[in-house]
Amino acid sequence: MSNDTLELTQHLIACRSVTPDDAGCQQLLTQRLEKMGFHIEKMRFGEVDNLWARRGNASPVICFAGHTDVVPTGPLEQWTSDPFTPVIRNRCLYGRGAADMKASLAAFITAIEAFVTQHPHHNGSIALLITSDEEGPAIHGTVKVVETLKARDEKLDYCIVGEPTCVNQLGDTIKNGRRGSLSGYLTVHGVQGHIAYPHLARNPIHLVAPAIAELAGIAWDNGNEYFPPTTWHISNINGGTGATNIIPGTVSLIFNFRFSTASTVESLQSQVHAILDSHQLDYDLQWELSGKPFLTPKAELANAMSAAIAQVTGIEPELSTSGGTSDGRFIADICPQVIEFGPRNATIHKLDEHVEVADIERLSRIYQKTIEQLLT
């Protein structure tokens, strides 16, 4: 078995690419892609390095998307080994980004190399969209590249995002969609006063409490075949001056919807406003949409990936839309079929992040066989 994918993963882990710093990762990828005849386009927005690479001009276009940035390490003394010195222990490769998602990036490259070697005049086109702004604010990364591609009417047919999706073993889970994320920043106004003279004040915490109870008890939708029901939760609540004898003048809340395709941004917003208005609250509410939900029904891409997984691992994968948001939410704007598939996610963002060594090369073979089914 070739160790090429493992070696490239190790080189990428050694790059200290804490978001939004790419730290040379994209240059490592570019060197390999140029040898295969890819047209390389570097797109820098703000402090973020992005890479758009494409081989071929015909359709269909299959794109591999991912990120080179990693989350901070946390306390270095709590790692068993230096997080940016790749180490193999107990048949696992340890290092920050091993699972999220440098093994996937390496597997992209070696899968494409193997495919191009066997099919130098393949049908369609192969592309890569790589950013260093996925783990951070995600405002100068994939979303900006997608806007650029959209402005010049460049579309994709299939996109594989290399996020770590598997739960118990490589091949058990494909993400074929993600829930949307909608946050609300709510301030409810009352009248500040002495707590001994409540008739001269209006306590906004008391005023908003019944509305909170109503919002927490609503069934926003029932979900659907692919998504669980939409959820609403408060993440922050702040009110008061710190003194025990003052009724506060305002209370502030931050809440978040994780919503399915069974609801819309507009429907959720209108229901919240209706409830707040029904309680006759004096309030300000600002909304922030982090991403709309996207869904890829079982079609050519999911079928090709499922078949490839079965060939390499013998496992029939499950389609899932669980988890948080990903850059797939941006890519879905120019691509009708977006799925995510990568290694196990058990240790992502944790101390001693790692990936099983055997899975790294198998991941490359899965990606390669998926390309073969779509472009040959």
Side-chain angles (χ1 to χ4, degrees):
M1 179 185 295
S2 168
N3 290 318
D4 197 20
T5 313
L6 171 61
E7 291 173 5
L8 181 53
T9 305
Q10 291 171 312
H11 288 309
L12 291 169
I13 291 172
C15 297
R16 297 174 178 264
S17 56
V18 177
T19 189
D21 189 4
D22 172 72
C25 291
Q26 290 178 29
Q27 185 57 35
L28 287 175
L29 304 181
T30 296
Q31 292 170 357
R32 309 271 292 242
L33 293 169
E34 285 180 331
K35 291 179 181 178
M36 291 185 280
F38 275 79
H39 172 71
I40 304 298
E41 199 171 345
K42 297 178 181 179
M43 299 185 186
R44 185 171 174 85
F45 301 101
E47 298 180 339
V48 176
D49 290 306
N50 302 289
L51 172 65
W52 171 247
R54 179 165 172 167
R55 186 182 197 273
N57 298 306
S59 294
V61 181
I62 179 171
C63 176
F64 291 90
H67 59 91
T68 57
D69 59 322
V70 299
V71 294
T73 61
L76 290 174
E77 67 276 9
Q78 294 184 26
W79 283 73
T80 304
S81 55
D82 185 326
F84 295 108
T85 301
V87 174
I88 296 176
R89 295 192 303 271
N90 301 320
R91 294 177 291 186
C92 291
L93 174 64
Y94 286 79
R96 175 56 87 218
D100 190 14
M101 55 179 291
K102 291 183 175 180
S104 294
L105 295 177
F108 287 169
I109 299 298
T110 58
I112 295 168
E113 287 173 338
F115 175 77
V116 169
T117 297
Q118 295 176 20
H119 307 279
H121 306 293
H122 59 79
N123 298 325
S125 302
I126 305 172
L128 289 96
L129 194 170
I130 309 296
T131 184
S132 64
D133 182 36
E134 197 272 349
E135 299 290 9
I139 58 175
H140 289 127
T142 299
V143 63
K144 289 290 188 182
V145 178
V146 168
E147 288 173 0
T148 302
L149 297 176
K150 189 175 182 179
R152 61 196 196 198
D153 201 30
E154 196 163 351
K155 297 186 173 97
L156 311 175
D157 295 284
Y158 312 113
C159 184
I160 298 169
V161 185
E163 289 292 340
T165 59
C166 297
V167 180
N168 297 311
Q169 56 185 324
L170 181 70
D172 63 12
T173 307
I174 295 172
K175 297 288 179 71
N176 66 320
R178 294 275 189 160
R179 294 176 296 174
S181 177
L182 175 66
S183 295
Y185 298 81
L186 173 67
T187 299
V188 177
H189 302 279
V191 176
Q192 182 174 308
H194 197 296
I195 208 161
Y197 300 93
H199 60 288
L200 299 178
R202 295 179 67 243
N203 192 322
I205 298 175
H206 293 189
L207 295 171
V208 77
I212 291 174
E214 185 173 349
L215 289 164
I218 286 180
W220 301 94
D221 59 47
N222 295 318
N224 54 36
E225 178 185 359
Y226 295 102
F227 287 99
T230 292
T231 61
W232 178 89
H233 282 279
I234 293 173
S235 58
N236 292 267
I237 183 165
N238 295 283
T241 64
T244 61
N245 60 352
I246 299 176
I247 292 173
T250 62
V251 61
S252 298
L253 297 84
I254 301 175
F255 59 80
N256 179 265
F257 283 104
R258 291 302 165 106
F259 65 105
S260 72
T261 51
S263 290
T264 66
V265 172
E266 294 75 19
S267 70
L268 297 174
Q269 289 175 332
S270 64
Q271 287 183 80
V272 170
H273 281 286
I275 290 168
L276 297 176
D277 292 341
S278 72
H279 289 272
Q280 300 181 329
L281 297 174
D282 178 10
Y283 69 91
D284 299 311
L285 177 54
Q286 304 298 320
W287 294 95
E288 180 181 71
L289 177 65
S290 299
K292 294 181 180 179
F294 73 91
L295 176 66
T296 296
K298 197 166 186 181
E300 295 91 348
L301 179 56
N303 290 338
M305 177 65 77
S306 296
I309 291 169
Q311 289 179 47
V312 174
T313 69
I315 296 171
E316 294 292 335
E318 173 189 348
L319 295 180
S320 171
T321 60
S322 64
T325 59
S326 77
D327 277 359
R329 68 191 189 274
F330 305 127
I331 299 168
D333 199 34
I334 59 169
C335 185
Q337 296 188 45
V338 180
I339 64 169
E340 302 171 23
F341 180 74
R344 291 182 64 213
N345 56 23
T347 64
I348 61 174
H349 295 206
K350 293 184 178 181
L351 300 171
D352 286 348
E353 179 181 352
H354 61 271
V355 63
E356 294 180 35
V357 170
D359 286 349
I360 297 174
E361 206 65 45
R362 292 199 298 166
L363 183 61
S364 177
R365 296 207 305 273
I366 290 169
Y367 290 149
Q368 179 187 345
K369 289 183 179 298
T370 302
I371 305 172
E372 289 172 352
Q373 294 194 54
L374 295 171
L375 296 188
T376 58

